[in-house]
Amino acid sequence: MNVHRITSIVKSISNINSNNFFDEICISLSSAIDADFVFIATIDETKKNATSISVANRGRKVDNFTYGLEFTPCAEVSNGSNCTHSCNVQDLYPDDQLLVDMDINGYVGVPLNTSKGEANAILVALFTEEISKVQEVEALFLLFSGLIEKELHKSSYLQTIEFSNSIIENTHEAIMVCDKNKYITYVNPSFTQMTGYTQIDLQGKTPKTLSSGKQSKSFYQAMWSGINNKGHWQGEIWNKRKDGNEYLEWLSITAIIDENNELTHYTAFFTDITEQHVAKEKRKFQDSYDDLTKAANKKTLFTFIERSIIQYENQIECNTPAALLVIDIDLFKKFNSLYSHSFGDEVLIQVANRLQSIIRSSDIVARTSGDNFALFVNHLINQDSIVHFIDEVTHEFIKPFVINDINVKITLSIGIAYFRRDAQDVHRLFEKAEQAMFAAKDNGRNSFEFYSQLLSDKANKEEQLKLSLESAIENDEFSVVYQPIVSLKNQSVTKFEALIRWNKSGSWVSPVEFIPTAEKFGLISQIGDLVLNKACMELINLKKMGFTDIIINVNRSIYEFSSGADDTSWLDTIKKYNLSPESICFELTESALAPENDKCITILNELQSAGCTIALDDFGTGYSSLNYLRRFPIDTLKIDRGFISEMTKVDGDVVLVSAIISMANALGISVVAEGVELKKEVDILVLLGCDYIQGYYFSKPLLPELLPQYLSDFQYA
Ligand code: C2E
Ligand code: MG
Ligand code: MG
């Protein structure tokens, strides 16, 4: 072996960096062994092609090339065998065009193996002349192949590292590396983006720099014991950014151990999960609280009550230790219709806040639905305590609410049920308090009512009535009777009032009994339509018999406006029968009209401009406000029976009726006296200038088939 050659090669490559290592070694080798070409080529995975990474031609670097391995000596080398042909290599591989083109005579090739011992590159020398010292060449190749292999491993390792680095640098996940003493040695760009800290900021610092102080000492103890014992820990942790803002991250820490089982580093991967956390918290909040008022929702209320009930289980001193109040805001809908929905929302918020300000920390306020709230009041000393509490609530609500600079007065209808006395479980307790609240509403609102068995019976009866009404509507169990209305001026019957009758399994049920229930349960529109249709059919009958100028008064409930009856449907019904709107008068009860009901005013205006007339029923029983007469389009006023019977009693008063008639006359409104039973009453009404009389004096309500006869036979005298 020529020691000088080896020394020169070693010298030439000893000072070079890995960038030109392969070029240098090819150049040195080609000079040392007098080869025409020396090259190193990598083999592709299919072992079909080789690509040179360095080629030297007689001591000079030349361009790289790729070639097919089939039919070449390099194919054997790439399969792991050394291959040497000192001469005539072209004869042995006649299909190797490269050998022919380069005019090659001698060939030496050695495989270059991976660390796993697989050939993935080759070192080849090509000679145009016969190789003189072939063994020396082989020996040198074998000697340096190890060195080249090592360099190849290094470069592939560097490639892998570069690849990993680019992943670490470009990943969205924040990465931090600490040395074994927990000093931060590396952070990636995502870490800087997430925390605001650069690597320089954290030089010589530990992860404590990021601490938010939110986690307890025991939290960190558990974390480090996980890392020390299992080599890994992951979980949620609150940290602090450079700007002081806290954030929640999902953290995963791994302890890195070297081949000697020595701890070298810690790596930490984080993802910012603050947004998800906020969204989760919001969902949690929405699940338990009302978004608008921030009061608890029904579910939370029920859970709260259930927990309280458990606490009371062993206490026997008080039979009524807690009470549930179900609260309804009186006439809440008017805030929405009179102002706006956002105004209504503000009402709800302020009511919730005011209720919240009254309760103690042991109690709870909840918004249970639309304008319904509930309060659960704990630790009552006795039954009277709740009365004091309600006094407080009422007192608190005397102060007006200021919403959008408008002063509004809000009153409440409150139903109360005691835990244990009235119900032992939360659902029953709520139902009973709700029943009591409905009773408070029925009492005219702005009041409170305690649950009692009587109330419950009433509610059950009402529920039964509702079910019967539903089936009565379906089976058309209703009929209509007609009460004559006599014109004092014409001394004839010009109108009839249509009055509904319900034949319930053979017995008659008064409308006074079932109309309020129909109104309460939203069945009133169907009933109103039914009566209007029957009245129209009756008008057609009468027309056929020659009674062409008759008007029928149809009662319609004010609740039909709020239940969404559209303005034209009543007119459409009248037109469907080819009747002129003038032949129908709609009667509305004064007590149910509220001056702020704009929708109602619009519909009434439309009916009136179409030709229908509007009568204000039971005048005097409600607010009797002049305001109604001015704001509503009213043609006729019906004085309630109570005033009429009052006129003829001992010490009776005709002044009131006289005043009503004068006022109506002044406003151009005609007057009907209702419930006239006596001749004396007729006489007074004639004197007072009343326009119409309706009552048993002339006739009770009549079956429809009797109307033609009644009209033909009618004599005023
Ligand atoms: P209203 O509209 O004031 O009807 C007059 C009521 O007084 C009728 O009672 C009628 O039979 C009764 N009445 C008439 N003259 C006399 C009399 O001289 N003496 C006495 N004691 N009573 C007299 P009814 O038919 O029981 O109706 C009661 C109420 O039910 C009606 O009062 C009305 O508010 C409501 N109603 C009746 N039919 C309907 C309807 O189809 N729809 C709606 N929404 N309500 C109706
Ligand atoms: Mg009426
Ligand atoms: Mg009436």
Side-chain angles (χ1 to χ4, degrees):
M1 171 108 27
N2 189 334
V3 177
H4 293 295
R5 288 181 183 182
I6 300 171
T7 318
S8 80
I9 299 171
V10 169
K11 260 190 183 166
S12 73
I13 58 173
S14 59
N15 285 328
I16 56 170
N17 58 39
S18 40
N19 287 344
N20 52 11
F21 172 84
F22 299 114
D23 291 341
E24 270 319 315
I25 200 145
C26 286
I27 291 167
S28 311
L29 276 172
S30 73
S31 303
I33 60 174
D34 280 332
D36 291 273
F37 293 94
V38 169
F39 66 88
I40 300 165
T42 55
I43 310 298
D44 70 5
E45 273 175 18
T46 61
K47 302 245 178 206
K48 286 208 167 111
N49 295 299
T51 302
S52 68
I53 56 169
S54 182
V55 188
N57 171 219
R58 295 199 165 276
R60 277 185 308 113
K61 174 181 159 57
V62 293
D63 289 344
N64 284 313
F65 53 85
T66 298
Y67 61 103
L69 287 167
E70 205 177 7
F71 312 124
T72 71
C74 294
E76 287 170 40
V77 184
S78 65
N79 281 327
S81 321
N82 294 343
C83 180
T84 303
H85 300 285
S86 58
C87 60
N88 301 329
V89 67
Q90 281 186 45
D91 299 342
L92 293 165
Y93 298 93
D95 294 324
D96 186 341
Q97 197 53 44
L98 213 61
L99 293 180
V100 177
D101 292 345
M102 293 163 98
D103 193 23
I104 300 305
N105 198 14
Y107 178 98
V108 177
V110 292
L112 300 168
N113 294 332
T114 64
S115 52
K116 289 178 189 155
E118 289 159 12
N120 71 336
I122 53 177
L123 172 64
V124 176
L126 302 173
F127 299 81
T128 50
E129 302 293 325
E130 183 177 345
I131 309 171
S132 54
K133 294 175 183 164
V134 76
Q135 279 169 346
E136 212 171 286
V137 174
E138 275 184 327
L140 261 183
F141 262 40
L142 289 175
L143 187 66
F144 282 98
S145 66
L147 203 61
I148 300 170
E149 275 171 358
K150 212 167 170 197
E151 203 59 32
L152 280 171
H153 298 168
K154 202 166 112 191
S155 79
S156 102
Y157 179 66
L158 282 175
Q159 264 177 20
T160 315
I161 296 257
E162 237 166 65
F163 182 62
S164 311
N165 265 354
S166 87
I167 292 177
I168 290 171
E169 295 273 313
N170 293 310
T171 182
H172 285 297
E173 207 167 8
I175 299 172
M176 177 174 81
V177 180
C178 294
D179 65 16
K180 62 179 179 187
N181 297 317
K182 296 174 195 160
Y183 285 106
I184 300 166
T185 55
Y186 170 80
V187 295
N188 73 344
S190 287
F191 178 95
T192 303
Q193 208 179 10
M194 190 167 126
T195 63
Y197 286 111
T198 63
Q199 181 137 2
I200 296 166
D201 292 334
L202 296 170
Q203 209 89 56
K205 304 243 166 80
T206 66
K208 268 192 190 152
T209 314
L210 304 165
S211 168
S212 65
K214 267 194 163 177
Q215 266 77 219
S216 63
K217 213 171 163 184
S218 60
F219 173 88
Y220 288 110
Q221 275 166 356
M223 181 176 102
W224 281 109
S225 105
I227 300 167
N228 295 336
N229 298 330
K230 294 183 196 149
H232 187 76
W233 179 89
Q234 58 180 13
E236 285 180 7
I237 182 167
W238 280 98
N239 270 347
K240 202 159 71 181
R241 298 184 220 275
K242 195 176 173 182
D243 63 10
N245 281 329
E246 286 169 354
Y247 66 100
L248 185 68
E249 63 187 23
W250 178 258
L251 170 63
S252 163
I253 304 177
T254 307
I256 307 290
I257 308 288
D258 68 8
E259 57 267 29
N260 302 321
N261 222 8
E262 292 282 327
L263 172 75
T264 61
H265 288 93
Y266 296 101
T267 57
F269 289 72
F270 328 67
T271 348
D272 189 338
I273 53 166
T274 320
E275 265 177 38
Q276 289 100 302
H277 173 78
V278 170
K280 199 169 117 195
E281 286 297 300
K282 197 171 169 203
R283 278 198 300 279
K284 233 160 83 185
F285 185 85
Q286 283 169 338
D287 204 36
S288 310
Y289 294 89
D290 168 45
D291 222 19
L292 178 72
T293 62
K294 311 288 179 252
N297 62 16
K298 200 171 177 177
K299 188 176 128 198
T300 307
L301 171 79
F302 277 29
T303 316
F304 183 92
I305 298 177
E306 267 159 5
R307 279 199 202 127
S308 306
I309 287 177
I310 294 170
Q311 283 177 7
Y312 288 126
E313 224 130 63
N314 300 324
Q315 294 176 16
I316 39 166
E317 325 71 84
C318 182
N319 184 37
T320 54
L324 178 66
L325 279 63
V326 168
I327 298 172
D328 182 78
I329 302 177
D330 292 335
L331 300 170
F332 172 74
K333 278 189 189 133
K334 77 178 177 203
F335 296 117
N336 282 336
S337 57
L338 202 57
Y339 302 106
S340 63
H341 277 270
S342 60
F343 192 95
D345 284 352
E346 192 53 37
V347 168
L348 293 170
I349 294 169
Q350 290 206 19
V351 166
N353 290 345
R354 212 169 271 196
L355 290 173
Q356 209 91 48
S357 72
I358 308 167
I359 60 158
R360 299 161 302 174
S361 57
S362 55
D363 306 336
I364 188 173
V365 175
R367 183 178 170 211
T368 49
S369 65
D371 62 333
N372 279 183
F373 289 86
L375 293 183
F376 187 67
V377 188
N378 266 302
H379 309 301
L380 299 175
I381 301 162
N382 53 40
Q383 236 167 287
D384 289 342
S385 332
I386 203 71
V387 179
H388 294 305
F389 179 75
I390 288 168
D391 274 350
E392 260 180 69
V393 176
T394 317
H395 184 75
E396 201 54 37
F397 275 72
I398 289 172
K399 286 182 261 170
F401 288 74
V402 183
I403 297 165
N404 297 353
D405 293 331
I406 299 170
N407 270 353
V408 282
K409 171 111 186 64
I410 293 172
T411 60
L412 307 174
S413 296
I414 306 173
I416 308 128
Y418 284 109
F419 163 65
R420 204 176 277 161
R421 192 199 74 179
D422 297 329
Q424 308 275 351
D425 80 272
V426 59
H427 290 273
R428 285 297 293 141
L429 192 68
F430 190 85
E431 271 170 27
K432 292 184 169 180
E434 201 173 36
Q435 249 173 39
M437 181 273 285
F438 284 128
K441 262 171 90 161
D442 287 348
N443 288 350
R445 306 189 174 93
N446 192 16
S447 64
F448 63 91
E449 186 75 61
F450 286 91
Y451 169 81
S452 71
Q453 192 52 46
L454 240 65
L455 274 183
S456 174
D457 294 346
K458 197 178 150 214
N460 288 341
K461 237 172 107 184
E462 201 167 49
E463 184 63 29
Q464 282 304 318
L465 186 60
K466 175 202 157 197
L467 294 174
S468 310
L469 268 175
E470 280 170 343
S471 78
I473 293 170
E474 216 172 287
N475 304 327
D476 195 16
E477 291 171 16
F478 298 102
S479 57
V480 176
V481 289
Y482 298 87
Q483 187 173 35
I485 300 173
V486 177
S487 159
L488 291 178
K489 193 174 120 207
N490 298 352
Q491 303 206 331
S492 65
V493 176
T494 54
K495 309 178 189 192
F496 289 94
E497 178 173 6
L499 294 160
I500 192 162
R501 294 292 177 262
W502 177 15
N503 187 343
K504 188 173 176 242
S505 330
S507 56
W508 293 100
V509 186
S510 161
V512 184
E513 254 178 76
F514 69 82
I515 293 288
T517 308
E519 286 176 337
K520 189 164 171 181
F521 293 105
L523 301 169
I524 193 66
S525 289
Q526 283 160 277
I527 290 179
D529 289 344
L530 191 143
V531 175
L532 180 60
N533 274 284
K534 287 195 196 286
C536 287
M537 286 191 273
E538 199 46 47
L539 276 169
I540 290 171
N541 268 343
L542 291 173
K543 263 189 202 313
K544 276 189 203 152
M545 307 198 77
F547 304 106
T548 49
D549 295 327
I550 296 293
I551 292 174
I552 293 189
N553 286 19
V554 175
N555 293 284
R556 300 269 352 202
S557 161
I558 195 72
Y559 292 95
E560 294 180 51
F561 295 100
S562 50
S563 73
D566 73 88
D567 12 6
T568 55
S569 71
W570 299 359
L571 281 174
D572 291 345
T573 307
I574 300 168
K575 285 177 192 155
K576 187 175 81 183
Y577 291 97
N578 271 331
L579 290 168
S580 77
E582 281 80 3
S583 48
I584 295 288
C585 168
F586 289 106
E587 289 193 13
L588 291 139
T589 308
E590 178 215 27
S591 57
L593 285 184
E596 61 271 11
N597 194 334
D598 284 342
K599 188 179 173 198
C600 170
I601 295 173
T602 315
I603 297 177
L604 293 182
N605 274 326
E606 273 174 36
L607 289 170
Q608 198 185 47
S609 19
C612 296
T613 40
I614 311 292
L616 188 55
D617 208 351
D618 305 338
F619 187 79
T621 54
Y623 298 98
S624 299
S625 159
L626 258 181
N627 206 14
Y628 289 96
L629 300 181
R630 281 220 315 276
R631 276 182 58 97
F632 288 98
I634 289 155
D635 303 286
T636 306
L637 194 152
K638 297 185 79 176
I639 305 175
D640 189 70
R641 186 162 63 92
F643 292 95
I644 305 302
S645 56
E646 195 59 30
M647 288 193 310
T648 50
K649 282 189 184 148
V650 188
D651 301 331
D653 196 356
V654 285
V655 179
L656 214 56
V657 176
S658 162
I660 294 172
I661 294 172
S662 314
M663 178 185 71
N665 279 344
L667 291 167
I669 295 171
S670 64
V671 179
V672 178
E674 284 190 295
V676 179
E677 295 181 347
L678 308 169
K679 170 88 171 64
K680 288 193 276 186
E681 291 165 350
V682 180
D683 292 340
I684 299 172
L685 289 163
V686 170
L687 273 175
L688 294 178
C690 183
D691 302 293
Y692 298 92
I693 282 181
Q694 177 182 355
Y696 294 172
Y697 175 75
F698 284 111
S699 169
K700 286 197 166 179
L702 302 166
L703 290 171
E705 54 269 31
L706 300 177
L707 300 192
Q709 194 64 51
Y710 182 83
L711 282 170
S712 311
D713 294 351
F714 181 79
Q715 279 185 344
Y716 179 74

